[in-house]
């Protein structure tokens, strides 16, 4: 059992031990429950670990500055020759210095698959596990599934694995390798002294730390809780914020939905953000923390930019989560759905969730999705042509039209295939593209891109990862043709110069529409009703020992 001070968390079964949290490993279902070991408010406010600077060290010139607020002090904790040591200061600077290795080493990993989202990466990892290959989920940049490095721990074994998989037709499996001659080493400076340490814990006497992060320009924010600098899997470092979830929500809710939203919409967003965080604590198990601070998880900006209306929503919904059959739901949400939400499997690989299904985002009964599914080109064109009566119809990205020339599409595709070491990465030009499969929610499932070397298929959310023009998967395409020369006759066969993408929505479109919730809140809908609209069949519950936080979807 992994143990926190308060409350206590259990994972069942214990297939792999970590310092705090257990990821999805060994092909086993992992259920996370809370055993109440303290008064309810403490039990309903668990501490979570958020990577606020995920890969510090990619640029050796970067610095992170941490400062106490006026009248307060920082306590730095670290080890010196195996003995614990503490230093008190008002300011600490964390930097990097290159360390030359005695001899160059070969860094290698077998990349089994590469994905835009954690959701599809997790499903892919399960598929590899079912084939008998133990995987790891990593995020060196995009999400990747690796062959477990402890299992495949020698150059010979890794090459035999790749040869075997490629012989079975898995042509996109590749060996990512580099010769490493030097590595970044972290140090910190405090009170005029420099300390070379890989791990550092920072605690403020008042519970708040001002952090200036690297960037152009640098970004300064205040964070509650405690901070820790620790090594990660990629040879760099992560600055991790350990923070109670109710404090974490103060840095999420106003930035995800905006303080100008109606109060019921903010309350609905708060429940979703709390549920999403607690269900997704396995995402960065490979690096020994739990969540990130950007849109690959939820936008989190600490205590900078908090809003009284969001704080009131957090208090009003304290400890409440959204559940289905006593399990936390996949509390997915997006900016704008384009008038209809998507099923889980319309966007990502993996089994559907019963509560994530297409919902027409209107209170006026504009379209019967059961009677008229949007899986045909004719239906989607009719649906996109309707631009009034939806909850989102006043928002800019409810409907959009973007163009992509063949040269732009070629550049998009070449970059993507090159990064994946795809067999067709050496193609010269895109000739045409077409939508070959569409879901009932109207989302494009497969797009076929014909190149001079063959056809490349893009599926689901990989489409918006690769192509610049579409804002979402809810679109259709129209070819654009070369205009005839002035005064000349039109050519017998018109030449395609690109495609116009006509669609709606921004983001994946699964679950609640944030912009749609504005309309429902303004109509006087309370937050439980808003949540039931977007997540049919779900239940609001307080965090409690009867809840499963996550198990492998079946």
């Amino acid at each position: 059992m992994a143990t926190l001070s308060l409350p206590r968390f259990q994972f069942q079964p214990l297939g792999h031990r970590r310092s705090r949290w257990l990821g999805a490993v060994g092909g086993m279902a992992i259920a996370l429950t809370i055993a109440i070991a303290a008064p309810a408010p403490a039990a309903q406010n668990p501490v979570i670990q958020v990577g606020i600077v995920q890969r510090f060290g990619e640029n050796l010139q970067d610095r992170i500055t941490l400062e106490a607020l006026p009248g307060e002090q920082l306590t730095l904790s670290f080890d010196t020759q195996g003995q614990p040591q503490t230093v008190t200061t008002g300011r600490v600077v964390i930097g990097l210095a290159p360390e030359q290795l005695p001899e160059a080493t070969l860094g290698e990993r077998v990349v089994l698959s590469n994905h835009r989202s954690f959701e599809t990466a997790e499903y892919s990892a399960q598929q590899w596990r079912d084939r008998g290959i133990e995987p790891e989920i990593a995020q060196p940049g995009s999400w990747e599934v690796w062959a477990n490095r402890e299992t495949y721990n020698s150059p010979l074994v890794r090459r035999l694995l790749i040869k075997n998989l490629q012989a079975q037709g898995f042509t996109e499996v590749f060996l990512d390798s580099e010769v490493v001659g030097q590595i970044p080493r972290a140090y910190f400076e405090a009170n005029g002294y420099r300390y070379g340490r890989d791990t550092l814990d920072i605690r403020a006497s008042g519970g708040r730390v001002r952090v200036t992060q690297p960037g152009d320009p640098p970004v300064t924010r205040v964070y509650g809780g405690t901070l820790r600098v620790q090594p990660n899997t990629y040879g760099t470092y992560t600055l991790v914020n350990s923070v109670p979830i109710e404090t974490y929500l103060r840095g999420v809710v106003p930035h995800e939905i905006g303080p100008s939203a109606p109060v019921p919409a903010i309350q609905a967003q708060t429940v979703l953000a709390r549920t999403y965080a607690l269900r997704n604590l396995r995402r960065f198990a490979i690096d020994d923390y739990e969540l990130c601070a950007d849109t690959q998880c939820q936008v989190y900006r600490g205590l900078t930019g908090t809003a009284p209306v969001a704080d009131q929503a957090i208090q009003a919904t304290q400890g409440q989560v959204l559940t289905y059959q006593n399990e936390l739901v996949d509390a997915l949400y997006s900016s704008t759905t384009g008038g209809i939400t998507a099923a889980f499997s319309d966007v990502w690989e993996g089994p559907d969730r019963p509560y994530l299904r297409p919902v027409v985002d209107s209170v006026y009964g504009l379209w019967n999705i059961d009677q008229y599914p949007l899986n045909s080109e004719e239906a989607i064109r009719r649906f996109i042509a309707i631009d009034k009566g939806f909850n989102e119809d006043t928002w800019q990205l409810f409907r959009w039209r973007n163009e992509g020339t063949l040269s732009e599409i070629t550049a998009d595709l070449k970059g993507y295939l090159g990064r994946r070491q795809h067999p067709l990465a050496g193609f010269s030009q895109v000739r045409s593209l077409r939508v070959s499969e569409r879901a009932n929610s109207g989302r494009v499932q497969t797009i076929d891109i014909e190149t001079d070397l063959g056809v490349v298929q893009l599926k689901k959310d990989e489409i918006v990862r690769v192509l610049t023009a579409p804002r979402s998967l809810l679109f259709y395409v129209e070819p654009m043709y070369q205009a005839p020369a002035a005064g000349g006759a039109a050519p017998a066969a018109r030449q395609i110069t690109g495609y116009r993408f006509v669609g709606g929505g921004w983001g994946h479109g699964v679950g609640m529409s944030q912009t749609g919730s504005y309309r429902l809140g303004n109509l006087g809908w309370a937050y439980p009703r808003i949540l039931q609209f977007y997540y049919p069949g779900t239940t609001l519950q307080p965090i409690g020992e009867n809840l499963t936080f996550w198990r492998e979807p079946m």
Side-chain angles (χ1 to χ4, degrees), residues 29-349:
I30 300 175
L32 176 68
T33 59
I34 294 182
I36 301 298
Q44 292 183 352
N45 195 17
V47 174
I48 63 175
Q49 296 180 336
V50 186
I52 57 175
V53 181
Q54 287 184 270
R55 286 171 287 277
F56 178 64
E58 292 179 329
N59 184 346
L60 288 174
Q61 308 307 312
D62 284 344
R63 299 289 182 269
I64 301 175
T65 302
L66 301 98
E67 299 171 293
L69 298 188
E72 301 177 5
Q73 288 285 301
L74 302 178
T75 298
L76 314 180
S77 302
F78 51 94
D79 284 348
T80 299
Q81 297 180 346
Q83 298 299 313
Q85 184 176 350
T86 61
V87 169
T88 302
T89 184
R91 182 176 184 268
V92 59
V93 176
I94 302 167
L96 302 154
E99 179 180 304
Q100 200 71 29
L101 298 177
E103 60 181 46
T105 62
L106 181 64
E108 289 189 331
R109 57 222 184 189
V110 176
V111 180
L112 300 170
S113 57
N114 182 294
H115 307 279
R116 180 175 186 258
S117 64
F118 172 82
E119 285 77 11
T120 296
E122 185 171 58
Y123 179 72
S124 175
Q126 183 60 51
Q127 298 296 102
W128 287 110
R129 189 175 292 116
D130 292 344
R131 298 183 186 109
I133 297 173
E134 188 58 32
E136 298 178 287
I137 300 175
Q139 197 206 28
S142 60
W143 292 98
E144 294 181 352
V145 180
W146 297 349
N148 185 278
R149 290 159 297 152
E150 292 183 7
T151 304
Y152 304 96
N153 58 6
S154 74
L156 177 60
V157 169
R158 289 189 286 268
R159 282 157 178 79
L160 287 174
L161 174 63
I162 290 175
K163 183 177 180 180
N164 181 44
L165 290 175
Q166 290 183 343
Q168 295 179 50
F170 296 103
T171 56
E172 293 187 43
V173 172
F174 68 94
L175 186 67
D176 187 1
S177 61
E178 63 175 336
V179 176
V180 180
Q182 71 174 30
I183 57 175
R185 284 293 188 193
Y187 65 83
F188 65 92
E189 295 176 343
N191 301 333
Y193 292 91
R194 176 179 286 197
Y195 303 80
R197 299 292 188 275
D198 274 345
T199 304
L200 172 66
D201 290 292
I202 306 103
R203 182 182 300 272
S205 57
R208 295 172 297 166
V209 182
R210 181 182 292 114
V211 179
T212 300
Q213 304 177 30
D216 187 19
V219 175
T220 299
R221 296 188 178 118
V222 174
Y223 291 90
T226 63
L227 295 164
R228 179 180 175 88
V229 177
Q230 63 187 43
N232 59 36
T233 304
Y234 319 108
T236 54
Y237 295 85
T238 301
L239 180 63
V240 178
N241 181 203
S242 295
V243 59
I245 193 165
E246 299 299 308
T247 305
Y248 162 82
L249 292 174
R250 299 187 67 198
V252 172
V253 175
H255 306 295
E256 279 290 356
I257 196 163
S260 63
V263 168
I266 297 175
Q267 292 171 332
Q269 176 70 73
T270 302
V271 172
L272 294 176
R274 184 183 294 113
T275 306
Y276 180 95
L278 292 176
R279 183 175 168 86
N280 280 278
L281 298 175
R282 65 199 184 279
R283 287 192 168 219
F284 296 91
I286 195 171
D287 292 315
D288 204 24
Y289 62 95
E290 296 157 351
L291 292 172
C292 58
D294 59 28
T295 55
Q296 285 293 326
C297 300
Q298 298 181 117
V299 173
Y300 169 59
R301 296 179 181 169
L303 298 176
T304 299
T306 59
V309 67
D311 290 344
Q312 291 162 10
I314 294 165
Q315 181 63 36
T317 66
Q318 184 174 13
Q320 292 183 23
V321 288
L322 196 62
T323 68
Y324 182 80
Q325 296 181 350
N326 285 332
E327 179 182 353
L328 299 189
V329 304
D330 263 331
L332 297 156
Y333 55 88
S334 66
S335 167
T336 317
T337 67
I340 184 168
T341 69
F344 182 94
S345 67
D346 293 352
V347 179
W348 302 291
E349 299 297 336

Side-chain angles (χ1 to χ4, degrees), residues 393-405:
D393 60 19
T394 60
W395 292 82
Q396 181 180 3
L397 291 173
F398 171 63
R399 293 284 181 261
W400 46 260
R401 300 168 70 90
N402 295 325
E403 296 180 354
T405 66

